[in-house]
Amino acid sequence: MLGTEADGLTGSAALLLASQQAMAGLCGLGGFVHLREAAPGELRLAAVSGLAPGFSTAWARIHEVEEVPPARAARSGTGVWSADGMGTGASGTASVPLPGPDGPIGVLSVLTTGAGSPTTEDWSFLATVAAWAARRAGPGSGNSDQQPRESDDTGGGAAAELRMSELTVALAEAVSSLDVVRAVQERVLPPFGADGMLVEVVERDHLHILGSTGYSQEFLDQIEGVPLTTHTAATMVLRTRMPCFAESPAEFLRLFPPLESLVNASGKRAWAVLPLIASGRGIGCCVISFSEERSFSDEQRTLLTALSALVAQALERARLYDAEHTRAQELQRGLLPRALPSLPAVSAGARYLPAGQSGEVGGDWYDVIPLSSDRVALVVGDVMGHGVTEAVTMARLRTAVRTLADLDIPPDELFAHLGDLVRDLGDDSYATCLYAEYDPVTRICRFSTAGHPPPIVIHPDGTVVRPEPDIDPPLGAAEPPFSTHELHLPDNSLLVFCTDGLVESTTRDIDQGLDQLERAVSRAVAEKGQSPGADRNSEPAFALDELCDTVVSDLLPDRERTDDDAVLLIVRTRGTPDVNVASFNLPDDPRAAGQARQHVREQLALWGLPELEMTTELVVSELVGNVSRHASGPSQLRLLRSDTLICEVYDSSLTTPRIRRAAFTDEGGRGLQLVAAVSRRWGTRFLPEGKCIWSEQALTP
C-alpha cells in the first residue's frame, strides 16, 4: 500500500491511485487524470475513479483551449476550481497540474460535492498527490497505456495499488471514528512494517487517545489528556501543521529532549508523526511507529503526508457521525422508561436493543403505565424507519399515549386519537402499536393492536396461548373503529410483547420468529421453574430481567449483525384477592351517604384499618353526595385494599365532576377540594353504563 511496496508503482497504476486518493481526500463524486499528448494542445484521459464508463467516453480527449477546469489548469499551471460538474451532477470541479520539468505534464481533477471552492488544506493535499503522480507518470515511468485506467479494472494491478485501493474504500465506508482507526491499523501498518499506531484527537484543548496498537497501557496512561500547550511531537505537528519524522531515538530526542522517559517507555525506535488537518483546523494526529530504527525516503514521506490528509477527512466525517449518533442515542434513552414501576397488579422486565449494523436510532418503545384502581396499561410500539426524526416521533407518540391513558379511555378510543396524531405528522408517517389494559380485580386484559403482533400468553402451568385476533392496519393507515380483544389471565401468567426487530430478519419471517419466541420463553420458564415447595399460585422464583436476557440471547445471538432495533417486554400478572375487594349497592335517596359511611366503618374494621375511618368517611360522603345531587338512579360503592386504599363510587351519569373555586360566602362547592386534600390522587373514568369517581389514600395516614 505505502512505503516499499509503493516504490514500484508506476504508470497508469499510479495515476489511478492518485485519482482515488484525490476523490477520497475531498470526499468527491469522482477523480480523474488527463495527460498531455504528443500532439500539441491535447489532453488524454489516463485514469478514472468513481465515475460511470460514459464519463471516459465523453471526456476521453480535451483541447487546452477549452474552458473546462482541466484545460484551464493545464494552460495556467495553477489550481483551478469552477462550478462546472462536467455533466456529472457534481457541484464543481477542482483541477491541479501534474508538475514536470518543462511545465505541466497533465492534470489531476476531482468532482466536488460541497459548496464553493476547496479549502487551502484541500488544495495543498491535491498538489501533494499530483506531485507524487507526476513523478510516477513522467518520462521513463513506464506509462505506455493507451486507454484510461478505471477503478473497476481488475487486471494486473500491483500489490501497492490494491492495498491503497483497499484503504480508500475502507475509509470511505468508515462510519464511526473507531472504523477509521481500524482501517488505518489494518491497511497502513503491514506494508510499512510498522508495529505501533496512535490516533489522538483534540478535545477541549487536550489530546485524547482515540485508538492505539503496539503500546502498553502504562505508556498510554502517561500520554492521555496531554494539554496542547505541552511541547511534544504531537502538539508540535498540530501547531506547525507539518509532519515530523524521526528515524532513531537519538534524532527524536534532539527534537524533544525532555521526552526521554516517554521514548524509553514506548519501546519504539522510529516514528512518523502526522498532523490530521480537516476543514482548516487541526483535529488530531496519527503516529506510525517502529520497533527498529529505519529511514524514510522522500517518496514515503510524501505518501504518509498524503495519507494523513485522507485520514483526517475520514475522521472528521466519522466524528460528526459519532456526535450525532451519541446525541440521538441519549435522546432515545432519555425518552424510554428509566425504570419500570413496581405495581400491585404486575411486575415487568424489558430490553431495548439498538440496531447493531446500521448504527441508527429507531422508533421502538415500550411503557408500563399505572391507571386508576390498580389497573395497568401496557404499551409496545414501533415507528417505521430509522433516524433522529423517527426517535422524536416515538417520543411524541409515547407522550400522547401517556396523556390519553391518564384520561382512562378504552384502548380502541385511545387508538382513534393516536391515529389522528400520526396522520397529522405526514402521509409517510406510520407506526405499529399494541395497547393493553389489565384489571387485577376481574383478571381481564383488554387490548387493541394496530399493525402489531398480539401478546404471547404463558399460563402458570406452562400452557401457551397465542391469540390470533384480526389486527387493524398501522396507525396512520387505519381508520376507526378499532377492535378490542379480551384475555382472561390466571394469576402469575406471563404476557410477552415484542417489536418486529426481535422476531423478523432476512433469514426468518415474522411468523417463524414468533414461533421461536414462544419456544424460547416456554423453554426458559420450564428450565427456571417455580420456587421449591411453592404452589402453582405462588410467585415464580426467577426474575423477569433474567428471563428477558435468556430470551434475547436465544432470538438474537449476534446482536451486532442486526439491522433493526428491537424491544422485548415480559409482564407477570397478579390478581387482587377477593378478600381485598368489597362492593356495596347504595339506594337512590338521601340515605345513601349515611349507608356508605356505615359500610366504610365496618369494612375498615375487618381490614384492620381503623385509622383511615375518618378520612375515608369524608371521601365517600362527598363522592356519594355528588351523585345524589347531580345524578339519578342507584349507585355503587367499591373499596379496594392494595398498596393504597381505593374508594370508588359508580353512577349512571356522564357528567364530569370538577373542582371549582368557592367564594367565602358560598355554602358548598368545597367537597372535591376536601377529597383532593386527603387523597394521594383522585379522578374519573367513564364506562359504557356511566362513570366511576375514585380516590386513593395511603394506608398510613
Side-chain angles (χ1 to χ4, degrees):
M1 168 174 50
L2 298 173
T4 55
E5 292 189 11
D7 289 344
L9 194 61
T10 59
S12 62
L15 298 180
L16 175 59
L17 180 57
S19 67
Q20 291 172 336
Q21 291 287 73
M23 175 184 68
L26 269 67
C27 299
L29 184 66
F32 53 96
V33 177
H34 283 86
L35 292 180
R36 271 205 164 108
E37 284 279 71
E42 283 200 356
L43 298 172
R44 172 178 62 83
L45 187 63
V48 181
S49 180
L51 297 169
F55 183 88
S56 298
T57 304
W59 300 101
R61 293 184 182 277
I62 298 175
H63 203 280
E64 288 187 18
V65 298
E66 297 183 42
E67 286 304 312
V68 292
R72 291 168 54 193
R75 290 199 306 270
S76 64
T78 60
V80 171
W81 182 85
S82 172
D84 177 3
M86 299 183 68
T88 63
S91 63
T93 305
S95 299
V96 292
L98 303 184
D102 300 317
I105 64 170
V107 180
L108 169 65
S109 304
V110 178
L111 295 166
T112 60
T113 55
S117 173
T119 65
T120 302
E121 287 73 19
D122 291 336
W123 284 118
S124 176
F125 169 69
L126 287 178
T128 300
V129 176
W132 177 85
R135 289 194 295 273
R136 296 294 177 181
S141 65
N143 181 32
S144 58
D145 296 358
Q146 296 301 312
Q147 299 297 326
R149 186 70 175 270
E150 300 198 20
S151 59
D152 59 350
D153 179 14
T154 59
E161 172 193 349
L162 174 62
R163 292 211 175 181
M164 184 60 82
S165 299
E166 290 175 352
L167 174 65
T168 303
V169 171
L171 290 176
E173 293 178 348
V175 175
S176 67
S177 298
L178 294 181
D179 292 337
V180 174
V181 172
R182 193 177 302 114
V184 175
Q185 178 181 339
E186 294 175 353
R187 315 291 183 186
V188 176
L189 301 191
F192 263 106
D195 54 13
M197 180 203 70
L198 277 172
V199 177
E200 298 178 277
V201 293
V202 177
E203 292 179 1
R204 298 180 181 179
D205 297 327
H206 288 72
L207 277 173
H208 296 278
I209 299 172
L210 184 63
S212 68
T213 187
Y215 290 95
S216 67
Q217 187 59 48
E218 181 181 359
F219 173 79
L220 296 177
D221 291 340
Q222 294 183 56
I223 64 171
E224 168 60 22
V226 171
L228 293 181
T229 53
T230 306
H231 183 59
T232 66
T235 57
M236 186 198 74
V237 299
L238 279 172
R239 285 194 293 268
T240 63
R241 299 193 177 187
M242 296 295 292
C244 173
F245 298 92
E247 300 179 345
S248 67
E251 183 178 355
F252 189 93
L253 293 176
R254 279 197 300 272
L255 297 170
F256 310 100
L259 302 183
E260 183 175 0
S261 61
L262 283 179
V263 170
N264 295 332
S266 72
K268 305 303 178 184
R269 309 284 293 173
W271 299 264
V273 186
L274 311 170
L276 300 178
I277 310 297
S279 301
R281 61 189 181 89
I283 64 171
C285 71
C286 177
V287 181
I288 308 297
S289 57
F290 307 82
S291 294
E292 301 294 335
E293 296 184 9
R294 61 157 298 159
S295 60
F296 296 95
S297 67
D298 290 342
E299 193 70 43
Q300 292 164 350
R301 294 178 185 229
T302 300
L303 282 172
L304 284 170
T305 302
L307 168 68
S308 66
L310 188 66
V311 173
Q313 297 287 344
L315 185 58
E316 183 185 43
R317 183 182 68 251
R319 292 185 72 196
L320 289 174
Y321 166 83
D322 289 342
E324 179 182 352
H325 185 59
T326 299
R327 285 193 295 268
Q329 285 190 321
E330 290 175 350
L331 168 67
Q332 189 167 42
R333 281 194 296 268
L335 296 174
L336 290 173
R338 294 183 180 273
L340 294 176
S342 177
L343 303 173
V346 301
S347 53
R351 289 294 180 269
Y352 168 77
L353 300 106
Q357 285 188 321
S358 68
E360 291 186 298
V361 295
D364 290 20
W365 92 92
Y366 61 92
D367 214 341
V368 177
I369 308 171
L371 304 176
S372 62
S373 304
D374 274 354
R375 296 172 307 118
V376 183
L378 309 167
V379 193
V380 176
D382 183 3
V383 177
M384 297 185 183
H386 294 87
V388 176
T389 300
E390 284 69 21
V392 172
T393 300
M394 174 270 285
R396 297 176 66 179
L397 293 181
R398 179 171 178 255
T399 302
V401 168
R402 278 192 158 264
T403 302
L404 295 170
D406 196 49
L407 298 176
D408 257 328
I409 59 179
D412 56 338
E413 187 177 340
L414 182 144
F415 268 11
H417 291 293
L418 204 61
D420 291 339
L421 173 61
V422 174
R423 280 190 293 273
D424 289 343
L425 296 176
D427 294 337
D428 57 347
S429 294
Y430 299 97
T432 67
C433 189
L434 188 154
Y435 181 88
E437 281 184 5
Y438 173 66
D439 187 337
V441 175
T442 63
R443 294 167 174 79
I444 291 177
C445 179
R446 303 171 66 239
F447 69 92
S448 294
T449 177
H452 210 90
I456 296 173
V457 183
I458 312 292
H459 286 183
D461 61 1
T463 303
V464 179
V465 177
R466 284 273 297 277
E468 296 183 358
D470 294 333
I471 299 176
D472 291 305
L475 299 172
E479 295 286 345
F482 290 87
S483 302
T484 303
H485 316 280
E486 288 190 357
L487 295 170
H488 292 264
L489 303 175
D491 284 357
N492 288 329
S493 295
L494 294 181
L495 288 170
V496 182
F497 305 86
C498 69
T499 57
D500 59 356
L502 184 70
V503 294
E504 190 176 23
S505 67
T506 56
T507 59
R508 66 185 177 209
D509 60 34
I510 192 167
D511 291 327
Q512 293 172 325
L514 289 172
D515 290 340
Q516 185 176 347
L517 174 61
E518 175 187 324
R519 292 192 299 270
V521 177
S522 298
R523 183 168 55 250
V525 170
E527 289 174 353
K528 297 178 185 301
Q530 298 281 115
S531 56
D535 60 44
R536 59 181 292 174
N537 291 320
S538 65
E539 187 81 357
F542 56 85
L544 292 180
D545 283 337
E546 181 183 344
L547 182 60
C548 286
D549 289 335
T550 302
V551 173
V552 166
S553 298
D554 195 326
L555 271 293
L556 299 177
D558 190 357
R559 301 179 192 177
E560 294 302 319
R561 295 186 177 275
T562 59
D563 56 6
D564 194 8
D565 47 345
V567 159
L568 173 66
L569 173 66
I570 302 180
V571 176
R572 180 186 293 131
T573 64
R574 289 185 291 269
T576 302
D578 293 341
V579 70
N580 289 339
V581 183
S583 297
F584 309 95
N585 293 322
L586 302 175
D588 183 18
D589 61 47
R591 295 174 300 170
Q595 292 185 13
R597 289 192 294 271
Q598 179 64 30
H599 292 315
V600 165
R601 287 192 295 271
E602 294 174 353
Q603 191 61 48
L604 293 186
L606 288 175
W607 284 342
L609 299 172
E611 68 274 10
L612 293 180
E613 282 186 10
M614 183 179 296
T615 55
T616 308
E617 286 186 42
L618 172 63
V619 168
V620 298
S621 292
E622 295 299 337
L623 297 185
V624 174
N626 270 335
V627 172
S628 299
R629 286 189 293 272
H630 303 295
S632 60
S635 57
Q636 185 184 53
L637 169 67
R638 188 171 78 165
L639 302 175
L640 303 177
R641 181 177 63 173
S642 178
D643 289 357
T644 59
L645 177 64
I646 302 169
C647 302
E648 298 176 328
V649 175
Y650 295 81
D651 65 71
S652 58
S653 172
L654 295 178
T655 303
T656 303
R658 60 185 179 86
I659 295 178
R660 66 183 181 88
R661 186 181 297 277
F664 288 111
T665 57
D666 289 346
E667 295 183 0
R670 299 178 181 86
L672 291 180
Q673 293 182 18
L674 293 174
V675 171
V678 300
S679 301
R680 175 179 292 181
R681 60 178 189 148
W682 74 279
T684 304
R685 67 175 181 272
F686 291 94
L687 309 167
E689 64 279 4
K691 71 175 181 294
C692 168
I693 310 175
W694 55 270
S695 164
E696 290 184 6
Q697 301 175 73
L699 293 184
T700 301

